[in-house]
Short mmCIF file of all heavy atoms in Angstrom, two decimals:
data_model
loop_
_atom_site.label_atom_id
_atom_site.label_comp_id
_atom_site.label_asym_id
_atom_site.label_seq_id
_atom_site.Cartn_x
_atom_site.Cartn_y
_atom_site.Cartn_z
N ALA A 1 125.92 50.11 259.81
CA ALA A 1 126.89 50.62 260.78
C ALA A 1 126.27 50.56 262.17
O ALA A 1 125.07 50.73 262.34
CB ALA A 1 127.27 52.05 260.44
N GLY A 2 127.09 50.31 263.17
CA GLY A 2 126.64 50.25 264.55
C GLY A 2 126.48 51.65 265.12
O GLY A 2 126.60 52.65 264.41
N PRO A 3 126.25 51.76 266.44
CA PRO A 3 126.03 53.05 267.09
C PRO A 3 127.21 54.01 266.91
O PRO A 3 127.02 55.20 266.88
CB PRO A 3 125.83 52.71 268.56
CG PRO A 3 125.74 51.24 268.65
CD PRO A 3 126.16 50.65 267.35
N SER A 4 128.42 53.47 266.76
CA SER A 4 129.59 54.33 266.61
C SER A 4 129.76 54.79 265.17
O SER A 4 130.62 55.60 264.88
CB SER A 4 130.84 53.58 267.05
OG SER A 4 131.05 52.46 266.19
N GLY A 5 128.94 54.24 264.25
CA GLY A 5 129.09 54.58 262.84
C GLY A 5 130.10 53.71 262.13
O GLY A 5 130.36 53.89 260.96
N ILE A 6 130.69 52.76 262.83
CA ILE A 6 131.70 51.88 262.25
C ILE A 6 131.07 50.56 261.87
O ILE A 6 130.37 49.95 262.67
CB ILE A 6 132.86 51.65 263.25
CG1 ILE A 6 133.52 52.98 263.57
CG2 ILE A 6 133.86 50.65 262.68
CD1 ILE A 6 134.55 52.89 264.67
N ARG A 7 131.32 50.14 260.66
CA ARG A 7 130.81 48.85 260.22
C ARG A 7 131.71 47.76 260.78
O ARG A 7 132.91 47.88 260.79
CB ARG A 7 130.79 48.76 258.70
CG ARG A 7 129.80 49.69 258.08
CD ARG A 7 129.78 49.49 256.57
NE ARG A 7 128.92 50.47 255.96
CZ ARG A 7 127.60 50.32 255.82
NH1 ARG A 7 127.01 49.24 256.24
NH2 ARG A 7 126.88 51.27 255.26
N GLY A 8 131.11 46.69 261.23
CA GLY A 8 131.87 45.59 261.80
C GLY A 8 131.58 44.31 261.07
O GLY A 8 130.73 44.25 260.19
N ALA A 9 132.32 43.30 261.42
CA ALA A 9 132.06 41.97 260.87
C ALA A 9 130.73 41.49 261.41
O ALA A 9 130.31 41.88 262.51
CB ALA A 9 133.18 41.03 261.27
N PRO A 10 130.02 40.69 260.64
CA PRO A 10 128.72 40.22 261.11
C PRO A 10 128.84 39.40 262.39
O PRO A 10 129.78 38.62 262.55
CB PRO A 10 128.22 39.37 259.95
CG PRO A 10 129.40 39.06 259.13
CD PRO A 10 130.41 40.13 259.37
N ALA A 11 127.90 39.59 263.28
CA ALA A 11 127.86 38.79 264.51
C ALA A 11 127.41 37.39 264.15
O ALA A 11 126.53 37.20 263.33
CB ALA A 11 126.90 39.42 265.51
N THR A 12 128.06 36.41 264.73
CA THR A 12 127.67 35.03 264.47
C THR A 12 127.56 34.29 265.78
O THR A 12 128.05 34.74 266.80
CB THR A 12 128.72 34.30 263.59
OG1 THR A 12 129.92 34.16 264.34
CG2 THR A 12 129.00 35.05 262.30
N SER A 13 126.93 33.13 265.71
CA SER A 13 126.81 32.33 266.92
C SER A 13 128.11 31.58 267.21
O SER A 13 128.22 30.93 268.22
CB SER A 13 125.65 31.34 266.76
OG SER A 13 125.89 30.51 265.65
N SER A 14 129.09 31.67 266.29
CA SER A 14 130.34 30.95 266.48
C SER A 14 131.40 31.78 267.22
O SER A 14 132.55 31.42 267.23
CB SER A 14 130.90 30.49 265.13
OG SER A 14 131.22 31.63 264.35
N VAL A 15 131.00 32.88 267.83
CA VAL A 15 131.93 33.71 268.59
C VAL A 15 132.41 32.91 269.80
O VAL A 15 131.61 32.38 270.56
CB VAL A 15 131.27 35.03 269.03
CG1 VAL A 15 132.18 35.81 269.95
CG2 VAL A 15 130.90 35.86 267.82
N THR A 16 133.72 32.84 269.94
CA THR A 16 134.29 32.04 271.03
C THR A 16 134.25 32.79 272.35
O THR A 16 134.09 34.01 272.38
CB THR A 16 135.75 31.67 270.71
OG1 THR A 16 136.51 32.88 270.70
CG2 THR A 16 135.87 30.95 269.37
N GLU A 17 134.46 32.06 273.42
CA GLU A 17 134.53 32.68 274.74
C GLU A 17 135.72 33.64 274.81
O GLU A 17 135.63 34.69 275.46
CB GLU A 17 134.65 31.60 275.83
CG GLU A 17 134.64 32.16 277.24
CD GLU A 17 133.42 33.05 277.54
OE1 GLU A 17 132.32 32.75 277.06
OE2 GLU A 17 133.60 34.06 278.25
N GLU A 18 136.81 33.30 274.13
CA GLU A 18 137.98 34.18 274.11
C GLU A 18 137.63 35.53 273.48
O GLU A 18 138.03 36.58 273.98
CB GLU A 18 139.11 33.51 273.33
CG GLU A 18 140.38 34.31 273.30
CD GLU A 18 141.49 33.60 272.55
OE1 GLU A 18 141.23 32.64 271.80
OE2 GLU A 18 142.64 34.03 272.72
N VAL A 19 136.85 35.50 272.40
CA VAL A 19 136.42 36.74 271.75
C VAL A 19 135.49 37.52 272.67
O VAL A 19 135.63 38.74 272.82
CB VAL A 19 135.76 36.45 270.39
CG1 VAL A 19 135.09 37.69 269.82
CG2 VAL A 19 136.77 35.88 269.41
N ARG A 20 134.56 36.83 273.31
CA ARG A 20 133.66 37.51 274.25
C ARG A 20 134.45 38.18 275.37
O ARG A 20 134.16 39.31 275.77
CB ARG A 20 132.66 36.52 274.85
CG ARG A 20 131.48 36.20 273.96
CD ARG A 20 130.43 35.45 274.78
NE ARG A 20 129.63 34.46 274.16
CZ ARG A 20 129.98 33.46 273.35
NH1 ARG A 20 131.20 33.29 272.99
NH2 ARG A 20 129.11 32.62 272.87
N GLN A 21 135.46 37.48 275.89
CA GLN A 21 136.28 38.04 276.97
C GLN A 21 137.08 39.23 276.48
O GLN A 21 137.19 40.24 277.18
CB GLN A 21 137.21 36.97 277.55
CG GLN A 21 137.99 37.45 278.76
CD GLN A 21 137.09 37.87 279.91
OE1 GLN A 21 136.21 37.13 280.32
NE2 GLN A 21 137.29 39.06 280.43
N ALA A 22 137.63 39.15 275.28
CA ALA A 22 138.39 40.27 274.72
C ALA A 22 137.49 41.49 274.56
O ALA A 22 137.88 42.61 274.88
CB ALA A 22 139.01 39.88 273.39
N ARG A 23 136.26 41.28 274.10
CA ARG A 23 135.31 42.39 273.96
C ARG A 23 135.00 42.99 275.32
O ARG A 23 134.94 44.22 275.48
CB ARG A 23 134.03 41.90 273.31
CG ARG A 23 134.16 41.62 271.84
CD ARG A 23 132.86 41.08 271.29
NE ARG A 23 132.99 40.79 269.87
CZ ARG A 23 132.11 40.08 269.19
NH1 ARG A 23 131.05 39.56 269.79
NH2 ARG A 23 132.29 39.86 267.91
N ALA A 24 134.79 42.15 276.31
CA ALA A 24 134.49 42.64 277.66
C ALA A 24 135.68 43.41 278.23
O ALA A 24 135.50 44.47 278.85
CB ALA A 24 134.11 41.48 278.58
N ASP A 25 136.90 42.91 278.00
CA ASP A 25 138.10 43.59 278.48
C ASP A 25 138.22 44.97 277.84
O ASP A 25 138.55 45.96 278.51
CB ASP A 25 139.36 42.78 278.16
CG ASP A 25 139.46 41.51 278.97
OD1 ASP A 25 138.69 41.34 279.95
OD2 ASP A 25 140.32 40.66 278.62
N MET A 26 137.98 45.04 276.52
CA MET A 26 138.08 46.32 275.83
C MET A 26 137.02 47.28 276.33
O MET A 26 137.31 48.45 276.61
CB MET A 26 137.96 46.15 274.32
CG MET A 26 138.10 47.47 273.58
SD MET A 26 137.99 47.32 271.80
CE MET A 26 139.55 46.56 271.43
N ALA A 27 135.79 46.81 276.48
CA ALA A 27 134.71 47.67 276.95
C ALA A 27 135.04 48.21 278.35
O ALA A 27 134.85 49.40 278.62
CB ALA A 27 133.39 46.91 276.96
N HIS A 28 135.54 47.34 279.22
CA HIS A 28 135.88 47.78 280.57
C HIS A 28 137.00 48.82 280.55
O HIS A 28 136.91 49.85 281.24
CB HIS A 28 136.29 46.58 281.43
CG HIS A 28 136.73 46.97 282.81
ND1 HIS A 28 135.85 47.40 283.78
CD2 HIS A 28 137.97 47.03 283.36
CE1 HIS A 28 136.53 47.70 284.87
NE2 HIS A 28 137.81 47.49 284.64
N ALA A 29 138.04 48.59 279.77
CA ALA A 29 139.16 49.53 279.70
C ALA A 29 138.69 50.89 279.17
O ALA A 29 139.08 51.94 279.70
CB ALA A 29 140.27 48.97 278.82
N LEU A 30 137.84 50.88 278.15
CA LEU A 30 137.36 52.13 277.58
C LEU A 30 136.41 52.86 278.54
O LEU A 30 136.48 54.08 278.69
CB LEU A 30 136.67 51.87 276.24
CG LEU A 30 137.61 51.46 275.11
CD1 LEU A 30 136.81 51.03 273.89
CD2 LEU A 30 138.58 52.58 274.78
N GLN A 31 135.53 52.10 279.21
CA GLN A 31 134.60 52.72 280.16
C GLN A 31 135.35 53.35 281.33
O GLN A 31 135.02 54.45 281.77
CB GLN A 31 133.58 51.70 280.65
CG GLN A 31 132.59 51.31 279.59
CD GLN A 31 131.80 50.05 279.94
OE1 GLN A 31 132.14 49.34 280.88
NE2 GLN A 31 130.77 49.77 279.17
N THR A 32 136.37 52.66 281.82
CA THR A 32 137.17 53.19 282.93
C THR A 32 137.91 54.45 282.50
O THR A 32 137.92 55.45 283.22
CB THR A 32 138.16 52.11 283.42
OG1 THR A 32 137.42 50.97 283.84
CG2 THR A 32 139.02 52.62 284.56
N ALA A 33 138.54 54.40 281.32
CA ALA A 33 139.27 55.57 280.82
C ALA A 33 138.33 56.75 280.61
O ALA A 33 138.65 57.89 280.96
CB ALA A 33 139.99 55.22 279.52
N LEU A 34 137.16 56.49 280.04
CA LEU A 34 136.18 57.55 279.81
C LEU A 34 135.73 58.18 281.14
O LEU A 34 135.65 59.41 281.26
CB LEU A 34 134.98 57.03 279.03
CG LEU A 34 133.91 58.05 278.69
CD1 LEU A 34 134.47 59.20 277.87
CD2 LEU A 34 132.76 57.37 277.96
N ALA A 35 135.47 57.35 282.13
CA ALA A 35 135.06 57.87 283.44
C ALA A 35 136.17 58.74 284.03
O ALA A 35 135.88 59.82 284.59
CB ALA A 35 134.71 56.72 284.38
N ASP A 36 137.42 58.30 283.92
CA ASP A 36 138.54 59.08 284.43
C ASP A 36 138.65 60.43 283.71
O ASP A 36 138.85 61.47 284.33
CB ASP A 36 139.86 58.32 284.29
CG ASP A 36 139.96 57.11 285.21
OD1 ASP A 36 139.13 56.99 286.14
OD2 ASP A 36 140.86 56.28 284.98
N LEU A 37 138.51 60.40 282.37
CA LEU A 37 138.61 61.63 281.60
C LEU A 37 137.44 62.58 281.91
O LEU A 37 137.64 63.79 282.02
CB LEU A 37 138.65 61.32 280.10
CG LEU A 37 139.97 60.73 279.60
CD1 LEU A 37 139.82 60.22 278.18
CD2 LEU A 37 141.09 61.76 279.70
N GLU A 38 136.24 62.02 282.08
CA GLU A 38 135.09 62.86 282.43
C GLU A 38 135.30 63.54 283.79
O GLU A 38 134.95 64.70 283.97
CB GLU A 38 133.81 62.03 282.41
CG GLU A 38 133.35 61.69 281.01
CD GLU A 38 132.16 60.74 280.98
OE1 GLU A 38 131.91 60.03 281.98
OE2 GLU A 38 131.50 60.71 279.94
N ALA A 39 135.87 62.81 284.74
CA ALA A 39 136.15 63.39 286.05
C ALA A 39 137.18 64.52 285.94
O ALA A 39 137.05 65.55 286.61
CB ALA A 39 136.65 62.31 287.01
N MET A 40 138.18 64.34 285.08
CA MET A 40 139.18 65.39 284.88
C MET A 40 138.57 66.62 284.23
O MET A 40 138.89 67.75 284.60
CB MET A 40 140.35 64.86 284.05
CG MET A 40 141.23 63.91 284.81
SD MET A 40 142.56 63.33 283.74
CE MET A 40 142.66 61.64 284.28
N VAL A 41 137.70 66.41 283.23
CA VAL A 41 137.03 67.54 282.59
C VAL A 41 136.17 68.28 283.61
O VAL A 41 136.19 69.51 283.66
CB VAL A 41 136.18 67.06 281.38
CG1 VAL A 41 135.24 68.15 280.89
CG2 VAL A 41 137.08 66.58 280.25
N ALA A 42 135.44 67.55 284.43
CA ALA A 42 134.59 68.17 285.45
C ALA A 42 135.42 68.99 286.43
O ALA A 42 134.97 70.02 286.94
CB ALA A 42 133.78 67.11 286.19
N ALA A 43 136.64 68.52 286.70
CA ALA A 43 137.52 69.22 287.64
C ALA A 43 138.40 70.26 286.93
O ALA A 43 139.27 70.87 287.55
CB ALA A 43 138.41 68.22 288.38
N ASN A 44 138.18 70.42 285.60
CA ASN A 44 138.99 71.34 284.78
C ASN A 44 140.48 71.01 284.89
O ASN A 44 141.32 71.91 284.97
CB ASN A 44 138.72 72.80 285.16
CG ASN A 44 139.14 73.75 284.06
OD1 ASN A 44 139.19 73.37 282.88
ND2 ASN A 44 139.47 74.97 284.43
N ALA A 45 140.79 69.72 284.92
CA ALA A 45 142.17 69.26 285.04
C ALA A 45 142.72 68.86 283.67
O ALA A 45 142.00 68.33 282.83
CB ALA A 45 142.25 68.08 285.99
#
């Protein structure tokens, strides 16, 4: 299992650029949302 405790498909060298971009898009969306939520928690909002 990875850091999140979720088992994933094995990483391979055949990962396409489209998959890499999708992963980057998801990571960015989640990081942005988390930062927004953390700011709201800090402001007790």
Side-chain angles (χ1 to χ4, degrees):
S4 64
I6 299 173
R7 293 183 185 274
T12 67
S13 60
S14 64
V15 173
T16 66
E17 184 55 37
E18 182 179 16
V19 170
R20 280 192 214 46
Q21 185 61 51
R23 287 177 180 166
D25 290 348
M26 181 179 288
H28 177 72
L30 290 172
Q31 289 165 348
T32 301
L34 182 58
D36 291 347
L37 287 169
E38 287 174 340
M40 287 179 218
V41 167
N44 199 26

